[in-house]
Amino acid sequence: MKRDNKSFDSKNESLKKSRHGIKNYFKKKAGPPNFILSVFVTTLKMFLVLFILLGFAAFGAFLGIAKGYLDATPTLDLERIENQSEASFIYDRYGNLITPYYGLENRVWASLDEIPKMLQDAVIAVEDVRFYSHSGIDFKRLVGAIINNLRNESIQGASTITQQLIKNTLLTPERSYKRKIQEAYLAIQLEQKYTKEQILEAYLNTSYFGSGNYGVKAAAQDYFGKELKDLTLRECAVLAGILRNPYYYDPRKNLYDPTRKPEITYNRTNLVLRLMYENGFITKEQYEEAKLDPTKSPEEQGFYVIETSNRNSLYPMPYFVEYVILDVRDRLMEHFGWTGDEGRQKAMKLIQEGGLKIYTTVDPEIQKAVEEAVYNYKNLPPLANAKDKVIKDNQGNEIQQPQAAAVVIDHTTGEIRAIVGGRTPPQGRFWTNRVMQPLAVGSAIKPLSVYGPFIEAGYPGGIILEDVPVPIKGLEKQWDGRGYPLNYDRKFSGLVDVRKAIQNSINVAAARIVQERVGPDYSAEKLLELGITSPHYVNEKLVTNLALGQNGINMVEMAAAYAAIANKGIYQTPVSFTKVLDKNGNEILNKDNFQIKRVVFKESTAFILTDWMETVVNSGTGSRARFSKPMHIAGKTGTLNDWKGVYFAGFTPYYTATVWIGHDLWKPLKNGVQGGHYAAPLWKAVMEPIHKNLQNRPFYDKPPEGVVRLTVCGISGKLPNGTLCDDHLVNEWFPVEAVPKEKCDVHKEVEICQYSGKLASPYCPRENVVKKSVVVLPENSLLRQLSEEELQKYLPGAFKDAVDFAMLDYNKPEDRQYFCPLHTQEWYNSQQLQESLYKQAQELINSVRAKMSDPKYKDRLSNEARTSLEKAIEALLHSFNQATIKPPKEGEPPLTQLPPFDPKPIQQNMDYLTELSRIIFESIDKEIENETPTLNQSSSFFDNNRNRHNNKRGASD
C-alpha cells in the first residue's frame, strides 16, 4: 500500500503538540522525584533490554542448533533407498512360483507402472496432496504443524511423501525437531536427485503396511490375495489408509480381533475416499459406490480380507523348500568366500532380503506323492518299549515315534525331485528335517562299499565267499570277541556265491570282502568318490561301518551314491536348484559351476551290480519293494544293529530313492524287525505312484562291453572240471579281466557210501555205493578251521585234507578217517546174522502159509485163528523192516551213525509164530483124529497159549 507522506507528517506534528500539551499539563513539582516510580521505570527498562538480548541469543542459539543438526545429518545415500530388503522367490523345476521367502520384512518391489493409478492417487490424497507441486517440503502444512505444536505439547509432523521416504530409509523414526530438520534438509536434496515418479515408487515399496508387509505388492497379496492390477478402488483406499498408523489401521486386526472394531478401518477408508473425491481423483459416483457402511457387515458389502496372514503360515513343500534354502546358503558362501557364522549370516541375509530368484529342482507332483506316501504310511515297525512312542522337542511339541523320511532323485541329472523329512508336516519353520541328519543305513551300504568295489577290483579271490563262523583275520577281537558278525537270521550258509550273499544280505561275507578281499582303504576311497562324507566311513574306515553301515550317513548323500550306480557308474553331486539370479536378473549361481561329475565305477561294474540288486528285489530281502505292475527295480535293504532302524535304497530306470524308519533318539525297534518288512514297503509306497504312467523298460538294452556271462564251479569259483562240478554250478556275470582261467581242482570222483557220504568201505552195501564227485578242501580254505561236525553241516561230504584217494587203504588205521564209519566189520557180521534170520523167518512164513492153504486145514481154521496167524506173520516182517535203515535222500545230511542190529525182536516173533502155528494145527489134527474136541475148545486152547506167549515177549512186538 502507498503511503501518504503529507498526511503522515501532519499527524506526527499534531502528536508532538499533543504530547507537549500533556507535558505542560502535568508540570513537575519542585523537589526530589518519586522513589518508587523511579525504581519501577528503571526495572522496566532493564527487562526490556534483557528481553531484547534474550531474543537475539535465542535466535542465535536456534541457528547454532539448526546448524548442528544439519552438520549431523547423514549423507544422502541413494543406495540405501534403492537397495531395500526384498523377498526372494523360490520356483519349482518348471519355473512356477512356489513361495516368496523373506526375513523380518516381506517386501516385493513393484515398478510404478505396475502400481494402479488409483492406489497412487489414494496415497497422495491422504498423505501428501501437493506432492507433485512442492520441492520436498510443503510449507503450508509446515506452518500449520508449527502453530499446532506451539499449542500442544506433542510434536506433530507435516511430512511430505519425500520426507517420509527419507525417514523410512535413512533416519530413525524418533519424533523430534532434530529428525524433522534433518528430514527436511535431505528431502530437498532428494527432490534434486530423483523424479517425482521415482520418489513415489520408492515410497510405495518401502512403506510399512502392517502384518510384516513392506510395500504395496506384499500388502495386496497378504490382505486380499490379489495382484496389484486386480485391486478395487475400495481396496486401494484401505491400503492407503494403513500408512498413517499400520498397527491401528491394520484391517485384519480390526475385522477379526475381538478386541478391535471394524469401524476403525471403515472410517479410515471412507476418509481416504472422501479426500480422493474432494481433490478430484475420483467422481462422486465412485466415492459413493466405494464407501463402507459401518452399519453393515463386511460380507454384506463384498469386502473381504484374508483372515490368516500368509506370513504366519508355512510355505508349500516345506521340507524341500528349507533344504534348498540351506543348500543355496552354503553355495553362496562358497561363491563369495564367506566363512564361519558371519558368512552364514551374510548368506542368509542375502536370501531373505536380496530379492533372489531361486530355481529349484523339485517336481511338485512327485513331492506331493512322496508327502502323501510318508504321511499316510501305516506299516510302521513296533518299538521295543511302548513308552518310547512319544518324545518332546525343546519347545515341548510332541513327536510321534518311530519317524520316517524319504528322498527322490533323478539319477540322470543328479537333481533332487522330492524331500520329506518326517512322518508329519512341519509345525514350524525349519522343523526337524531328517534327510539332513546322519542316519545309520545298515546293509544298504553294501552295494556302495562292498560289492561295487569288489566288482571294480576284478573279483579278488573269486566269486565264492565263506559264510562260516570262523574269525576274520585282523578282526579277531571284533563283535564281542567272536571275530565275525552275525547274520540277520543268526545262521550260516557255508560257501556262497556273491549273488547269494547280496541277495540274502549275508553279513559275514560282506565283512570278509572288505577286510580280506578289497581292503578297508579301497572301500572307503570308493565311498568318498560316491559323495559320502561321514568321517566314520571315509576317515576311520572301520569294517563295522564299511560292511554293515552302523554309523550315520546323510540320506541325500545315500540317494546320490545309489544314483551313480543307476547312472552307469557316473556320480553327480546332488543338486536342489539349477540357478540363482539376483533381483536385477543377473546370474549368481548355476549348477553347472558347482555340480561335480566323475566316473566312480566302470559301466560293466554298474551293470553287474544292478543285476545283483535286481535279484535282491525279485527274490531276496527286498521283495516287498516290487510294484503291483511290472517295473525293473534294483535295491538293497538295511537293518541296523540292535534293531535301531530300517532302511531301503534303490532305483528304477527313472528315479532313485532312499527311505528310513527309526526312532529320533535311536531307541530300539522290536527285536527281529527287518528292512525288508518295513522299509521296502515304504519305498514302494513312495515310488510306485510316481511311476504310474511310466513304461517298464530294462536298465540296459544289452550288456556293456567288458562283461561276459560264465558258468563256474560254485565251490572253487573256477571253470568246471568235466561233470565233476555239475552239482555246484553257478552262472554269473564277470568283468572280462576277472574271468577264471583254471579248472576246478577241489572236486574229485570217488566211490561214496550213500549213508555216510564218505569213501565206501569194504563192508558198505554195494547197492548203496555210488560214484560221486566230492570236495577236497585246499590247504588255504577257511572251512578247514571248522570241526568235522560243522564242516558236514555247511558242506556235506567235504574232505578237509587234500589226499590221493587211490592210495588210501581201509585196513590202515591212519586212513580209516576217510572211509565210511557206519559200515564196519561188526555191522557186516550183524548183517550176516540178519540175513540168516531172514531166511529162517521166510522159510517159517512159507511153511505156515502152506498149511493155511492146505485143504486139510483151510476149512477147519476159525476166523480168529486165521487172523492171529496173519498178525503174527506181519509182526515178524515188521521186525525186519525196523532193522533196515534207508540211505538219506538227495539234499539230506549224511547219517552219522546206524542203530545197532538187535536180533531179539526177530527171534521172539519167529518163536511166537512157530508156537502159535504148532498149537493151532495140532489142535486141528486131533480134531480130525478124534472128532471129539470142538472148534470152540480148540480156540479156547489157542487163547490160553497165546496169552502165555505174549507175556513172555513183553513189549518186543
Side-chain angles (χ1 to χ4, degrees):
M1 182 182 294
K2 186 177 180 181
R3 175 182 272 183
D4 188 345
N5 291 327
K6 184 177 180 180
S7 174
F8 177 80
D9 293 339
S10 176
K11 288 180 179 179
N12 191 37
E13 184 66 26
S14 175
L15 182 58
K16 287 180 179 179
K17 290 180 179 178
S18 174
R19 288 175 178 171
H20 180 75
I22 293 173
K23 184 178 181 181
N24 291 334
Y25 184 80
F26 292 102
K27 192 174 182 179
K28 294 182 180 180
K29 294 181 179 180
N34 188 301
F35 176 76
I36 295 175
L37 182 60
S38 175
V39 170
F40 173 74
V41 172
T42 302
T43 302
L44 188 61
K45 290 179 179 179
M46 291 178 65
F47 269 108
L48 181 60
V49 172
L50 180 61
F51 179 77
I52 293 171
L53 292 174
L54 287 175
F56 280 110
F59 182 70
F62 172 76
L63 291 177
I65 292 172
K67 184 178 184 304
Y69 288 168
L70 293 178
D71 289 342
T73 301
T75 305
L76 181 63
D77 188 351
L78 298 181
E79 282 195 7
R80 290 180 60 185
I81 298 175
E82 296 170 354
N83 297 329
Q84 292 296 307
S85 68
E86 293 183 43
S88 292
F89 293 93
I90 301 176
Y91 302 90
D92 65 23
R93 64 173 300 215
Y94 302 110
N96 300 316
L97 179 65
I98 299 173
T99 182
Y101 185 77
Y102 47 85
L104 297 176
E105 298 182 6
N106 177 21
R107 178 186 288 108
V108 183
W109 196 276
S111 66
L112 197 63
D113 293 340
E114 189 181 350
I115 301 171
K117 183 67 165 58
M118 57 185 173
L119 178 54
Q120 299 178 35
D121 293 341
V123 171
I124 290 172
V126 72
E127 292 296 319
D128 187 3
V129 72
R130 284 177 289 277
F131 171 68
Y132 281 106
S133 61
H134 63 65
S135 298
I137 301 174
D138 188 343
F139 289 101
K140 183 176 181 180
R141 288 183 66 189
L142 179 62
V143 171
I146 292 173
I147 294 173
N148 188 70
N149 290 340
L150 291 174
R151 294 176 178 175
N152 301 280
E153 293 182 358
S154 63
I155 300 174
Q156 294 186 9
S159 297
T160 62
I161 285 176
T162 311
Q163 291 174 278
Q164 291 183 55
L165 176 59
I166 292 294
K167 178 188 69 175
N168 294 340
T169 57
L170 299 178
L171 301 176
T172 64
E174 67 171 322
R175 302 187 62 155
S176 66
Y177 286 114
K178 175 182 178 181
R179 198 262 295 162
K180 285 290 182 181
I181 292 172
Q182 293 176 337
E183 182 184 284
Y185 177 67
L186 291 174
I188 294 172
Q189 293 186 52
L190 184 61
E191 288 272 352
Q192 297 171 358
K193 301 286 186 180
Y194 276 6
T195 66
K196 289 290 185 180
E197 288 74 17
Q198 290 174 314
I199 292 171
L200 183 59
E201 177 182 310
Y203 175 71
L204 292 174
N205 280 288
T206 57
S207 296
Y208 182 53
F209 285 83
S211 291
N213 299 303
Y214 288 79
V216 290
K217 189 166 186 175
Q221 278 285 352
D222 190 43
Y223 289 124
F224 305 117
K226 291 183 176 183
E227 295 296 330
L228 289 170
K229 63 183 178 61
D230 299 321
L231 292 175
T232 65
L233 172 59
R234 176 187 290 166
E235 290 164 345
C236 290
V238 170
L239 293 179
I242 295 172
L243 287 167
R244 177 61 57 87
N245 190 331
Y247 177 79
Y248 185 69
Y249 293 122
D250 187 322
R252 180 176 289 117
K253 289 185 172 65
N254 292 334
L255 265 62
Y256 299 111
D257 188 336
T259 65
R260 305 278 284 271
K261 295 180 179 180
E263 288 79 4
I264 298 173
T265 291
Y266 288 179
N267 295 336
R268 182 64 177 170
T269 302
N270 291 343
L271 172 62
V272 175
L273 291 169
R274 181 171 60 82
L275 291 173
M276 292 181 73
Y277 166 61
E278 291 176 350
N279 289 282
F281 292 118
I282 58 174
T283 65
K284 185 172 179 60
E285 290 76 15
Q286 288 177 305
Y287 166 58
E288 294 294 342
E289 183 180 353
K291 271 198 316 182
L292 287 165
D293 187 345
T295 65
K296 295 181 180 180
S297 68
E299 292 79 10
E300 291 177 301
Q301 305 178 76
F303 178 48
Y304 300 101
V305 173
I306 298 173
E307 184 173 357
T308 303
S309 173
N310 292 330
R311 183 179 175 82
N312 299 323
S313 61
L314 273 179
Y315 19 72
M317 302 179 278
Y319 284 120
F320 189 96
V321 166
E322 291 178 351
Y323 180 89
V324 79
I325 288 169
L326 297 180
D327 195 8
V328 171
R329 178 200 67 184
D330 294 343
R331 296 297 178 186
L332 287 172
M333 290 175 66
E334 292 177 10
H335 178 75
F336 291 109
W338 297 335
T339 59
D341 290 339
E342 183 181 353
R344 278 185 285 274
Q345 291 172 5
K346 287 182 179 179
M348 283 303 297
K349 182 179 177 63
L350 181 56
I351 295 171
Q352 292 173 337
E353 302 178 5
L356 304 181
K357 291 180 174 60
I358 301 170
Y359 292 88
T360 75
T361 62
V362 68
D363 187 307
E365 292 300 318
I366 294 178
Q367 177 71 25
K368 181 180 178 182
V370 177
E371 286 177 353
E372 290 178 353
V374 177
Y375 295 163
N376 298 314
Y377 188 64
K378 304 301 181 186
N379 185 32
L380 294 164
L383 295 165
N385 189 340
K387 294 181 180 179
D388 297 329
K389 195 170 184 179
V390 177
I391 64 173
K392 292 186 177 181
D393 63 11
N394 295 333
Q395 287 74 42
N397 299 301
E398 290 189 350
I399 303 175
Q400 297 295 319
Q401 302 295 323
Q403 273 294 325
V407 175
V408 177
I409 190 170
D410 182 341
H411 46 252
T412 61
T413 62
E415 295 178 0
I416 303 170
R417 296 290 181 241
I419 285 176
V420 177
R423 267 178 57 196
T424 55
Q427 299 178 32
R429 289 196 173 195
F430 289 95
W431 202 251
T432 302
N433 192 345
R434 292 160 187 84
V435 303
M436 302 173 68
Q437 298 177 341
L439 302 172
V441 299
S443 293
I445 195 66
K446 291 174 181 176
L448 309 176
S449 58
V450 180
Y451 298 108
F454 180 66
I455 302 168
E456 188 76 3
Y459 291 164
I463 68 167
I464 306 304
L465 308 170
E466 298 91 350
D467 178 27
V468 291
V470 173
I472 299 172
K473 188 176 181 180
L475 301 177
E476 291 83 358
K477 296 182 180 180
Q478 295 290 329
W479 298 289
D480 298 327
R482 291 188 307 273
Y484 57 85
L486 294 175
N487 296 319
Y488 73 94
D489 58 2
R490 302 300 193 265
K491 297 178 181 179
F492 300 93
S493 304
L495 293 176
V496 294
D497 63 88
V498 67
R499 184 183 293 269
K500 284 283 186 185
I502 189 173
Q503 176 183 356
N504 297 326
S505 197
I506 298 175
N507 291 334
V508 178
R512 290 194 184 282
I513 287 177
V514 173
Q515 180 68 8
E516 301 172 346
R517 302 287 188 95
V518 301
D521 288 340
Y522 185 65
S523 176
E525 176 187 330
K526 284 300 175 187
L527 283 183
L528 188 60
E529 291 177 11
L530 288 168
I532 305 299
T533 60
S534 170
H536 294 295
Y537 292 83
V538 299
N539 294 339
E540 296 176 3
K541 304 176 184 178
L542 298 178
V543 175
T544 51
N545 286 323
L546 296 173
L548 307 179
Q550 294 305 312
N551 277 99
I553 295 176
N554 178 292
M555 286 187 73
V556 175
E557 289 185 359
M558 277 292 288
Y562 266 76
I565 302 172
N567 195 36
K568 297 179 171 53
I570 301 172
Y571 171 79
Q572 300 178 95
T573 307
V575 294
S576 62
F577 65 93
T578 55
K579 61 181 177 180
V580 175
L581 309 181
D582 66 16
K583 64 182 180 181
N584 298 317
N586 301 312
E587 187 174 88
I588 304 175
L589 300 174
N590 189 297
K591 79 165 190 172
D592 294 337
N593 297 328
F594 62 81
Q595 186 182 33
I596 297 171
K597 297 182 182 181
R598 57 173 168 256
V599 176
V600 179
F601 295 130
K602 296 188 288 287
E603 187 177 358
S604 58
T605 297
F607 171 82
I608 296 172
L609 190 53
T610 299
D611 190 58
W612 289 352
M613 287 195 288
E614 279 199 86
T615 304
V616 172
V617 175
N618 292 333
S619 56
T621 58
S623 60
R624 288 177 174 83
R626 293 199 303 264
F627 295 170
S628 55
K629 71 171 187 177
M631 177 62 68
H632 284 273
I633 300 171
K636 184 68 187 74
T637 55
T639 303
L640 307 190
N641 193 33
D642 299 325
W643 298 285
K644 290 185 178 179
V646 289
Y647 209 96
F648 190 89
F651 51 87
T652 69
Y654 301 95
Y655 298 106
T656 298
T658 55
V659 300
W660 165 88
I661 303 174
H663 197 284
D664 283 335
L665 300 181
W666 287 65
K667 300 290 185 180
L669 306 174
K670 189 175 181 180
N671 284 5
V673 301
Q674 299 296 329
H677 290 103
Y678 296 98
L682 174 58
W683 190 91
K684 173 186 176 181
V686 165
M687 291 285 272
E688 189 167 28
I690 68 180
H691 288 77
K692 181 173 59 177
N693 299 318
L694 298 176
Q695 182 181 2
N696 184 26
R697 69 186 189 198
F699 289 109
Y700 291 82
D701 294 328
K702 62 179 182 179
E705 293 184 3
V707 61
V708 295
R709 190 93 180 182
L710 195 66
T711 298
V712 298
C713 172
I715 301 298
S716 66
K718 298 179 181 180
L719 297 175
N721 186 358
T723 61
L724 295 181
C725 305
D726 283 357
D727 292 339
H728 301 99
L729 295 179
V730 173
N731 190 257
E732 190 54 81
W733 293 104
F734 280 78
V736 290
E737 68 273 13
V739 172
K741 297 178 176 58
E742 299 177 351
K743 286 188 176 182
C744 173
D745 54 0
V746 301
H747 279 96
K748 309 290 183 181
E749 187 177 53
V750 293
E751 287 189 339
I752 295 295
C753 174
Q754 289 182 307
Y755 287 87
S756 65
K758 289 201 168 189
L759 297 179
S761 74
Y763 303 105
C764 289
R766 298 315 298 174
E767 66 271 19
N768 296 119
V769 174
V770 295
K771 284 190 175 183
K772 190 175 181 181
S773 173
V774 297
V775 173
V776 181
L777 300 178
E779 292 184 3
N780 61 349
S781 174
L782 291 175
L783 274 66
R784 296 183 67 174
Q785 300 181 41
L786 298 172
S787 68
E788 187 63 31
E789 182 180 359
E790 288 176 321
L791 176 61
Q792 297 309 314
K793 178 180 178 181
Y794 301 128
L795 192 58
F799 292 84
K800 283 189 177 182
D801 299 321
V803 294
D804 185 352
F805 291 103
M807 300 298 294
L808 295 176
D809 185 352
Y810 179 79
N811 295 316
K812 293 180 179 180
E814 62 271 20
D815 292 346
R816 190 70 59 86
Q817 60 179 313
Y818 301 108
F819 289 89
C820 173
L822 306 178
H823 301 110
T824 62
Q825 185 172 4
E826 291 76 11
W827 174 87
Y828 178 78
N829 292 336
S830 69
Q831 284 299 104
Q832 295 300 310
L833 175 60
Q834 185 178 0
E835 289 179 10
S836 175
L837 288 173
Y838 182 77
K839 289 179 180 179
Q840 296 175 34
Q842 194 63 48
E843 291 174 357
L844 174 61
I845 292 171
N846 291 339
S847 173
V848 171
R849 289 193 184 281
K851 286 186 176 183
M852 291 172 66
S853 302
D854 191 333
K856 177 181 177 180
Y857 301 108
K858 182 177 181 180
D859 294 335
R860 292 178 179 271
L861 276 174
S862 67
N863 289 335
E864 185 179 5
R866 186 180 297 279
T867 300
S868 297
L869 289 170
E870 290 290 350
K871 286 185 176 180
I873 291 171
E874 183 180 349
L876 178 57
L877 292 173
H878 181 67
S879 62
F880 276 101
N881 291 334
Q882 284 186 320
T884 303
I885 303 298
K886 295 181 179 180
K889 295 180 180 179
E890 187 71 27
E892 293 180 350
L895 298 179
T896 56
Q897 63 180 7
L898 291 174
F901 173 66
D902 185 3
K904 289 182 180 179
I906 299 174
Q907 189 64 59
Q908 288 176 351
N909 281 299
M910 288 175 62
D911 293 344
Y912 172 68
L913 179 58
T914 300
E915 182 68 12
L916 178 62
S917 63
R918 185 189 65 78
I919 293 171
I920 292 175
F921 292 118
E922 284 183 356
S923 175
I924 294 175
D925 286 339
K926 289 181 180 179
E927 181 181 347
I928 293 172
E929 289 178 8
N930 304 323
E931 293 296 332
T932 51
T934 64
L935 181 61
N936 289 335
Q937 288 174 327
S938 297
S939 298
S940 176
F941 179 77
F942 153 71
D943 288 338
N944 292 333
N945 281 278
R946 182 183 63 183
N947 291 335
R948 185 172 62 252
H949 184 70
N950 284 343
N951 290 335
K952 287 181 180 180
R953 292 193 306 147
S956 61
D957 18 323

